[in-house]
Amino acid sequence: MTDLNTNFAGIKSPNPFWLASAPPTNTGYQVMNAFKAGWGGAVWKTLGKPIVNVSSRYGALSYKNNRMMGLNNIELITDRPLEVNLREMKEVKEKFPDHALIASMMFETKEEWHDCIKRCEDIGIDGFELNYGCPHGMCERGMGSAVGQNPDVCEKITSWVCEAATKPVIVKLTPNVTDITRPALAAQRGGASAVSLINTINSVTGINLDTMDPNPTVDRLSTHGGYCGPAVKPIALNMVAELTNHPDFHLPISGIGGIETWQDAVEFFLMGATTVQVCTAVMHYGFRIVTDLTEGVSEYLDSHKMKKITELTGITAKKLRKWEQLDLNYKIIAHINSEKCISCQLCYIACEDGAHQSIALVKDSRIPVIKEDTCVGCNLCSLVCPVEDCITMVKVETGKKKLVWANHPANPNHILAR
Amino acid sequence: MSVLTSNKNFLPTLSDVELKEKFSNIKPRMANSEAIVEASRCLFCHDAPCINACPTSIDIPMFIRQIMSKNTKGAAKTIFTQNILGKSCAHVCPTEVLCEGACVYNNLNEKPIDIGRLQAFATDYAVENNLRFFKKGKSTGKKIAVIGGGPSGLACAHELTVLGHEVVVYEANEKAGGLNTYGVAPYKYSNKDSEEEVKYIAEIGFEVKTNCPVTGATIPELEKKYDAIFIGAGLGKSKKLGIAGEDLESVHGATEFIHKLRKKEQKIQIGKTIVIVGGGNTAIDAAVESSKLGADVTVVYRRTEKEQKAYYFEVELAKKHNVKFIYLTNPVSILGNEFVEGLKCIQNTNGGQKDLIIPCDMVIFATGQEKIIDFYKSIKNLEVTQGKIVVNKNFQTTNPKYFAGGDCINGGKEVVNAAAHGRDAARGINEFLMRGHND
């Protein structure tokens, strides 16, 4: 068994699987149950000044018969008194001294931040996470994503926190920006020890077509909520990689966004995260999913003859380049395994109507045939094929040397340069 | 009380509660959530094999997609556009060898899409809510008689009405629906189901005259009154075995036996021990229904299990109902003086033959149905081969005024085949009457 012990910017935990700051970390009761189930850490539901929540609060996107492909919420930060939260956090820390307990926070004034930091450190908290991401409600009051979207404010507030905090400070970033590296670099300048991303994405999950009311509905009205769950993973993976690959960014990354299985977690590690945070999957299935996360990641490391998760860090992020650096002479074409083909012809119609008309049907056979001379190797047929490994993409030896756009004769800039 | 055996060894009739339990639909209705989950599995194949396997070519992936998007009404329209008997076909089709048998999931060793039950989900909903998708067409002034109110006749009458013709259906029985009303197993399609369906189809605006058999004597009048005539007369009585003892009271043809059960809604007394002769689907239906009523049932078939014409899943159903099968065995005579006491057979064994006596209280023969040749003879120039009416691709007979479809042209197949014939014959009739084609 591999060693999953983690040291994230100085915060130690028995494994890299933390609960994100969200409803599953609302109370000491929940966090203790989570730790018993095997979670390595928890970021407590965001502490702040008293708020009042609405009813209802969550909306979801289902795809065919898959429930909750995406989830959004219009819930605010903790609605419990700070004293209650602190008392329960203290109890958790006493019972689980080796687990990571992080206080998520969101305040307005420097004094409020400093006061809460002190009180949290007094009860033995392991670190802080600054909630600069919440995209609804709090941002209207100048907090949450209003901070994360403005690099100057982000840097300033981070520096306030870092003045007072002796424990590591994680800045949680909002994805509701055009360039994720700007707030991340601002957090770094402000003195943060790490970042976590992504927070939720501005969204409306759907509309009740009978009443034409938006979801989730509060007396027939709604507001844009924060989107999360499996549907957001691709966006999160890209943003994590953008930070990993930025030459001036050096902080550890806690990956968040649609993580449900061990494969998801490994993907975040490969993009540069060293811990991951989970919320929606727990809201869907409960704490016990962590068993599969820890076992799956351990097995994966074993099978790759690796001992520690950090051996995975950023391997795949390095393989993300600018488009113009990709080899234009690399060629693959589709290959259909006629023995595996179940003759649904989805590949045919996808290519015919939706791509490059490079699959043919032949008389007296239901098995489509690839037109190798026109196949552009787009992958679409292999993506729609319902049979595993039936359509594979096969490399074609062109005999040509690697050629990138920068050097391509069709590139006007290349011609100018000559 | 109806009694099908004069023997003292008959079973008491079942109570309403017992009948309801035993004869409830073997393919129960899907709940909304089940239908949507199942519909979500459909791959939406291109040029889908299930469509090609359906004799009426229903756009199955499309109606399944409509169910998935909760457009159940649209799904029903897709089905009825191709097959107005889509409701009964959903329940009685041997989907295992038609659409579901062609589903590509079979190639993946996965369960095929439950197409029959999805089709029932949409069509039951449409019929129960009387959702109507077709209107009587602009009147052409042409009149057409349809002989037989079974699946082919109803499909033909419906399509002709859509095309604007005046149609009268002549049904010999007290109710229309044909096999759906009198022939198929009640645990697939009930009397109520069939009656509702007939009403739904006829409501478009054609007349159904029940208790109105067409005979050689009424043919001249019909020919005078109508511009064209469709024959959807089905098949005749069960073929006799031609063995001694066949006239005893407790000996019945399977078709007649099932007909009586349907008519009395299974409130009928049958023998405790029953032997059924035959290897087709009708034999199986008679066997399963008898077993459900409490009888000890044995099916005797002259050939081997492999040669049996009944579908494998029907044989499985019978076995689940404790029906015993004896193969390679021919009936010789029915024993008994006053009552049936047994069936004497000759069994072919490896070495040769041996006598076999199976004691029983009732014998049912399911060895095929007769063709109604005498009736055909009353129609001029109507070519009939091996008891089947000969038709061209437009379902026109050798007498150009007559068209035909269903069991009377194919010798007895599925409801869905009859529905396809009826629909296409209507188009043939329309062509003939409106454009004068008679090739």
Side-chain angles (χ1 to χ4, degrees), chain A residues 32 35-36 90-99:
Chain A
M32 285 194 265
F35 288 169
K36 280 182 216 160
K90 187 164 181 270
E91 282 170 20
V92 170
K93 201 60 222 170
E94 281 166 4
K95 277 203 172 157
F96 295 90
D98 298 330
H99 286 65

Side-chain angles (χ1 to χ4, degrees), chain A residues 5-319:
Chain A
N5 274 297
T6 304
N7 184 339
F8 179 80
I11 302 169
K12 289 177 180 159
S13 62
N15 64 49
F17 306 111
W18 296 359
L19 290 174
S21 172
T25 59
N26 220 6
T27 64
Y29 168 77
Q30 288 168 288
V31 174
M32 285 194 265
N33 278 339
F35 288 169
K36 280 182 216 160
W39 291 88
V43 186
W44 204 272
K45 174 98 175 166
T46 306
L47 308 174
K49 289 207 290 188
I51 57 95
V52 178
N53 268 312
V54 292
S55 161
S56 62
R57 304 177 191 180
Y58 310 137
L61 179 78
S62 299
Y63 181 71
K64 294 190 177 176
N65 57 341
N66 289 318
R67 309 290 290 175
M68 254 166 76
M69 289 284 296
L71 176 73
N72 92 347
N73 81 90
I74 55 170
E75 200 173 272
L76 301 182
I77 59 174
T78 184
D79 54 7
R80 310 162 83 221
L82 183 61
E83 295 68 33
V84 175
N85 279 315
L86 289 171
R87 189 179 68 232
E88 292 183 9
M89 288 160 86
K90 187 164 181 270
E91 282 170 20
V92 170
K93 201 60 222 170
E94 281 166 4
K95 277 203 172 157
F96 295 90
D98 298 330
H99 286 65
L101 191 67
I102 290 114
S104 171
M105 299 190 298
M106 182 193 286
F107 290 100
E108 276 181 277
T109 67
K110 191 176 182 178
E111 292 68 33
E112 285 163 359
W113 283 104
H114 283 190
D115 177 58
C116 190
I117 289 162
K118 180 159 188 334
R119 295 177 73 175
C120 286
E121 291 202 347
D122 286 348
I123 57 155
I125 215 79
D126 299 299
F128 301 99
E129 188 180 79
L130 315 187
N131 182 343
Y132 294 169
C134 197
H136 49 266
M138 305 313 287
C139 52
E140 296 166 19
R141 305 172 202 177
M143 292 178 277
S145 62
V147 177
Q149 285 168 338
N150 185 330
D152 293 339
V153 182
C154 171
E155 180 181 344
K156 185 164 191 183
I157 295 179
T158 307
S159 69
W160 290 350
V161 172
C162 293
E163 270 171 39
T166 65
K167 298 286 184 180
V169 174
I170 307 164
V171 168
K172 185 168 179 176
L173 300 172
T174 174
N176 298 308
V177 291
T178 33
D179 180 359
I180 195 69
T181 61
R182 294 185 66 216
L185 290 166
Q188 184 173 271
R189 285 195 300 275
S193 332
V195 294
S196 56
L197 73 164
I198 58 173
N199 204 313
T200 55
I201 305 172
N202 285 338
S203 61
V204 175
T205 46
I207 296 168
N208 177 328
L209 294 184
D210 294 327
T211 60
M212 300 186 193
D213 297 340
N215 291 331
T217 300
V218 181
D219 193 17
R220 308 206 59 182
L221 302 176
S222 191
T223 190
H224 65 266
Y227 196 45
C228 54
V232 310
K233 186 183 79 172
I235 296 165
L237 284 175
N238 178 53
M239 288 188 165
V240 168
E242 283 190 82
L243 295 190
T244 302
N245 288 338
H246 196 284
D248 301 327
F249 185 79
H250 310 295
L251 302 180
I253 299 166
S254 185
I256 310 171
I259 297 160
E260 179 172 319
T261 65
W262 64 266
Q263 287 97 333
D264 298 328
V266 169
E267 287 177 324
F268 275 84
F269 297 142
L270 289 167
M271 285 305 198
T274 44
T275 60
V276 290
Q277 299 184 28
V278 178
C279 165
T280 309
V282 165
M283 290 179 74
H284 199 160
Y285 302 110
F287 295 129
R288 68 195 190 97
I289 61 164
V290 74
T291 307
D292 182 53
L293 288 172
T294 48
E295 285 183 6
V297 169
S298 296
E299 276 295 317
Y300 180 80
L301 290 174
D302 281 348
S303 68
H304 284 76
K305 312 236 181 306
M306 291 178 178
K307 300 247 180 301
K308 288 181 300 185
I309 284 167
T310 46
E311 290 180 62
L312 295 169
T313 314
I315 288 177
T316 308
K318 291 193 189 79
K319 299 184 181 186

